[in-house]
Amino acid sequence: MAAEGGGKENELKTQFTTREGTYKLLSLSEYSRPNRVPYNAQGCHPVRVSFINVSGEKDGSGDRICFNVGRELYFYPYKGVRKAADLTKPVDKRVYKGTLPTCHDFNQLTCTSDSVSLLVGFSAGQVQLIDPIKKETSKLFNEERLIDKSRVTCIKWVPGTENMFLVSHASGQMYMYNEEHPCGTTAPHYQLLKQGEGFSVWTCKSKSTRNPIFRWVIGDGALNEFSFSPDNKHIACVSQDGFLRVIDFDQMELKGMMKSYFGGLLCICWSPDGKLVAVGGEDDLVTVWSFAEKRVVARGHGHKSWVSVVAFDPFTTMVVEGEAGDFSGSDDEGDDSQTSRNNPGSNPGSNPGSMRERANSSHSRASICNADTSNVTTYRFGSVGQDTQLCIWDLTEDVLYPQQPLTRARTHTNLTNSLPLPSGSATMPRCNSLPHNAVHSTGSAPNAKEKSLTDGSIASGITSKFATLTLGDRRDKHEKHEHKRNYSLSSKSSDKLNSISKGHNAHSKMLEDYARLGTPCCPKLDEVPLLEPLVCKKIAQERLTALVFREDCIVTGCQEGFVCTWARPGKVVGVCNGLSQTSSTHSTGGTVV
């Protein structure tokens, strides 16, 4: 879906500039189909990108990349900013018939130079476990589609485990599997284990241990994506009903929720320190929610269509000397969270709080964070959408802590020391946010003139920039075409769902209450800071569906089947100096900043 308009608006950008320097597109580091045949993106599932390092070396020599295009799945060595691998010689290539790959995930814990475990989800509901290095297919789960017949929307290994993984479906259900257990020859029957606001957890009734071990029913409509927190304790889910839900994974308790401005939420990402959650979706906005304060702290507007991916950049997060305020996680977590859990495959119903064995601290994905993360003052994150645009955002402490006075002198350091600041820029400028009334909500009330100017700025911004944000029309249309959950269960299991109808009815009433604007769950536009993107560039001809921040580059993927590498400032000097000046093979524009 190309952006409307002509002239420079339709030109593909091959570089963009931020405060730390210029990012450049490396056309010779581009991955795509080897034959580069014309690709019809209509009706196909998003192109997704997964990375794994099989050697453990930080120089990138052991990096591997996997991406899906249509019915095909490719596995290549990834050379970063140096040059793409020989596209005619993939390590592994698979072409599927009757179903299409929709998502995939590597097991970071068990990978070696000789073997990797890659999970692949499909449009018909099946899940495949393959080893692309050995070119083997290990197992196939839900082969007969007895567990769920709907599309797999997201698939992830449970952090810190060697054989447990989660699979979410368009039915609104999520299943926990153990790769060592079979799936059975009949449709599973379930019994209720635990229920919370907007979700319920069920165990599989069976004389012998079989998959799935647990079944989660979350929200209404498709469960579009889920993500584990950096400390592996919580899981955040976004659904087609427009809700973000953050759940304690082991205790199965709801810790917080948020509602989109309208429409469904499609993507989610945790900040590297686990304090913020960014989401995007059909309201064309990027929303940042505070896990500690359980509130929306900012909304970003820059996209002209649905936001498909949002991701934090851990390599450009800035810190300041001195305290920035208490922004810790949940305050009700005891020391028992660090103790080992029982194996859920052994007796899944014996302990409701035991979902898995806790990940060893050495395998924590929060290795980038430490006790000093309370001093974070600038978060960098990015988003891509169906409008073919890449947006880069900065969220600073003047937005997160509007009541605190700004410190005059700051000494900023990079967490990874990988991206030096430009010369002469010792202080990071303020966040590029639009005027808002949020800061007045807790302080003294503004006078009439200030309020008029502020409201006028917001109104004009909404009128001129929110071309797709006609609230009444879009909400009515969404209600008329509300997504229905497609249960792939037996009639007996469906009857059991009626046993908790009372709880669901109460939850439905709560959803209706939250759906009204102006609530803490869904504040009005003028009640929170409205951010403008630091960078907003059209970088593809088809909708963008992948965004990954790496130490030396940014990787994007579009529905046309191109996976592109954008070198960070200073990362290509003396390596491939001329590459960044070459336009992409499918680019129609020049080099525009």
Side-chain angles (χ1 to χ4, degrees):
M1 181 189 302
E4 295 181 358
K8 291 186 177 181
E9 290 186 2
N10 273 339
E11 292 180 352
L12 297 188
K13 311 311 189 241
T14 59
Q15 66 181 46
F16 58 87
T17 300
T18 61
R19 297 183 180 104
E20 65 270 15
T22 301
Y23 292 73
K24 298 182 179 181
L25 175 65
L26 305 181
S27 61
L28 296 185
S29 295
E30 181 183 87
Y31 288 76
S32 67
R33 281 179 161 185
N35 52 7
R36 294 182 179 269
V37 296
Y39 175 62
N40 181 13
Q42 298 298 325
C44 290
H45 296 285
V47 173
R48 302 298 188 191
V49 179
S50 298
F51 285 96
I52 187 72
N53 187 291
V54 298
S55 67
E57 300 295 333
K58 294 184 178 181
D59 60 359
S61 59
D63 287 339
R64 301 292 184 267
I65 184 174
C66 174
F67 60 93
N68 59 290
V69 182
R71 298 184 181 276
E72 302 168 352
L73 186 74
Y74 294 96
F75 181 76
Y76 285 101
Y78 184 74
K79 299 184 178 181
V81 299
R82 291 168 290 176
K83 188 179 179 180
D86 186 351
L87 297 181
T88 63
K89 298 179 180 179
V91 177
D92 193 15
K93 172 188 175 182
R94 301 182 183 227
V95 181
Y96 297 94
K97 298 180 180 180
T99 187
L100 289 77
T102 58
C103 52
H104 33 83
D105 187 48
F106 287 104
N107 192 326
Q108 306 286 340
L109 189 62
T110 62
C111 68
T112 66
S113 58
D114 300 323
S115 175
V116 295
S117 296
L118 177 65
L119 286 169
V120 185
F122 294 90
S123 58
Q126 303 95 332
V127 175
Q128 191 179 53
L129 176 62
I130 65 176
D131 188 333
I133 293 181
K134 295 182 178 180
K135 299 183 179 180
E136 296 177 351
T137 300
S138 300
K139 295 180 180 179
L140 186 61
F141 303 90
N142 194 29
E143 182 176 6
E144 302 298 328
R145 305 171 66 205
L146 298 173
I147 298 174
D148 202 304
K149 294 181 171 61
S150 63
R151 168 177 52 90
V152 176
T153 57
C154 186
I155 189 168
K156 291 184 185 295
W157 291 94
V158 176
T161 65
E162 296 184 358
N163 49 26
M164 313 297 294
F165 60 92
L166 285 176
V167 183
S168 64
H169 290 258
S171 63
Q173 301 177 72
M174 180 172 67
Y175 304 90
M176 186 173 182
Y177 289 79
N178 187 326
E179 65 145 312
E180 297 179 349
H181 297 162
C183 282
T185 57
T186 59
H189 297 279
Y190 302 96
Q191 62 182 3
L192 182 64
L193 176 65
K194 196 163 186 178
Q195 182 181 357
E197 295 183 1
F199 78 95
S200 58
V201 185
W202 305 69
T203 57
C204 184
K205 294 176 59 178
S206 177
K207 293 182 180 179
S208 60
T209 304
R210 55 170 287 184
N211 284 317
I213 300 172
F214 292 100
R215 177 175 69 106
W216 296 67
V217 181
I218 301 178
D220 293 317
L223 178 56
N224 291 321
E225 190 175 7
F226 63 88
S227 177
F228 282 96
S229 61
D231 62 6
N232 304 331
K233 296 178 182 179
H234 299 87
I235 185 170
C237 308
V238 287
S239 303
Q240 195 61 39
D241 60 6
F243 275 88
L244 157 71
R245 295 175 177 87
V246 179
I247 301 171
D248 185 307
F249 185 62
D250 287 338
Q251 301 301 322
M252 307 178 199
E253 295 178 354
L254 183 68
K255 294 299 182 180
M257 60 192 305
M258 185 217 76
K259 177 72 170 61
S260 67
Y261 201 69
F262 63 79
L265 290 176
L266 305 177
C267 53
I268 187 171
C269 183
W270 289 84
S271 63
D273 55 11
K275 298 173 181 177
L276 302 176
V277 179
V279 296
E282 297 176 358
D283 55 8
D284 304 351
L285 300 171
V286 175
T287 303
V288 182
W289 183 78
S290 169
F291 176 58
E293 301 180 23
K294 307 298 186 292
R295 68 179 182 91
V296 176
V297 295
R299 285 194 180 103
H301 174 254
H303 288 284
K304 300 176 183 178
S305 187
W306 295 356
V307 180
S308 53
V309 182
V310 61
F312 277 88
D313 182 356
F315 304 102
T316 54
T317 296
M318 311 301 293
V319 298
V320 63
E321 293 180 354
E323 292 298 327
D326 184 11
F327 209 23
S328 59
S330 178
D331 57 0
D332 57 354
E333 295 168 359
D335 295 336
D336 60 337
S337 63
Q338 299 297 330
T339 60
S340 299
R341 313 297 189 191
N342 297 331
N343 188 339
S346 59
N347 190 1
S350 60
N351 185 358
S354 176
M355 285 295 290
R356 44 136 195 219
E357 292 185 357
R358 176 64 59 201
N360 188 285
S361 59
S362 63
H363 298 135
S364 173
R365 294 186 298 169
S367 58
I368 191 173
C369 306
N370 50 40
D372 294 332
T373 53
S374 61
N375 298 329
V376 171
T377 58
T378 300
Y379 293 89
R380 168 70 58 81
F381 58 97
S383 58
V384 294
Q386 296 194 13
D387 56 0
T388 72
Q389 291 189 135
L390 165 67
C391 291
I392 303 293
W393 314 81
D394 275 351
L395 181 60
T396 51
E397 78 280 4
D398 57 336
V399 174
L400 294 173
Y401 316 105
Q403 291 179 289
Q404 295 184 359
L406 298 178
T407 306
R408 293 183 179 275
R410 293 179 173 85
T411 303
H412 293 282
T413 56
N414 192 300
L415 284 179
T416 61
N417 296 323
S418 61
L419 291 176
L421 288 173
S423 59
S425 60
T427 303
M428 180 68 75
R430 304 263 57 80
C431 183
N432 47 322
S433 62
L434 296 175
H436 61 90
N437 290 342
V439 294
H440 300 305
S441 59
T442 54
S444 59
N447 58 46
K449 184 176 180 180
E450 291 176 344
K451 189 175 189 302
S452 176
L453 290 174
T454 304
D455 292 344
S457 300
I458 295 173
S460 61
I462 295 174
T463 302
S464 60
K465 296 191 175 188
F466 278 64
T468 61
L469 196 61
T470 306
L471 181 59
D473 295 340
R474 291 290 294 272
R475 286 186 64 192
D476 292 342
K477 185 181 296 184
H478 176 68
E479 290 172 0
K480 292 179 181 178
H481 298 83
E482 182 181 2
H483 295 260
K484 303 296 182 182
R485 180 182 290 114
N486 178 23
Y487 288 103
S488 56
L489 310 174
S490 63
S491 58
K492 185 176 181 180
S493 297
S494 299
D495 292 338
K496 288 184 177 293
L497 286 174
N498 296 330
S499 64
I500 59 171
S501 59
K502 182 178 180 180
H504 278 303
N505 290 337
H507 179 64
S508 298
K509 185 178 184 301
M510 182 192 66
L511 297 186
E512 294 176 0
D513 294 336
Y514 277 140
R516 299 187 180 96
L517 297 180
T519 65
C521 190
C522 183
K524 297 179 182 179
L525 287 179
D526 60 352
E527 293 178 342
V528 294
L530 188 61
L531 305 179
E532 287 186 323
L534 185 69
V535 171
C536 187
K537 302 294 182 182
K538 174 182 170 62
I539 63 170
Q541 296 287 17
E542 287 290 342
R543 62 185 185 271
L544 292 161
T545 57
L547 174 65
V548 181
F549 287 98
R550 296 175 58 83
E551 187 171 359
D552 59 351
C553 62
I554 299 175
V555 178
T556 60
C558 72
Q559 198 59 20
E560 197 174 359
F562 294 97
V563 178
C564 299
T565 298
W566 301 78
R568 291 187 185 268
K571 292 299 182 179
V572 293
V573 176
V575 178
C576 48
N577 193 32
L579 297 183
S580 59
Q581 303 302 322
T582 305
S583 298
S584 177
T585 55
H586 63 293
S587 175
T588 59
T591 303
V592 181
V593 180

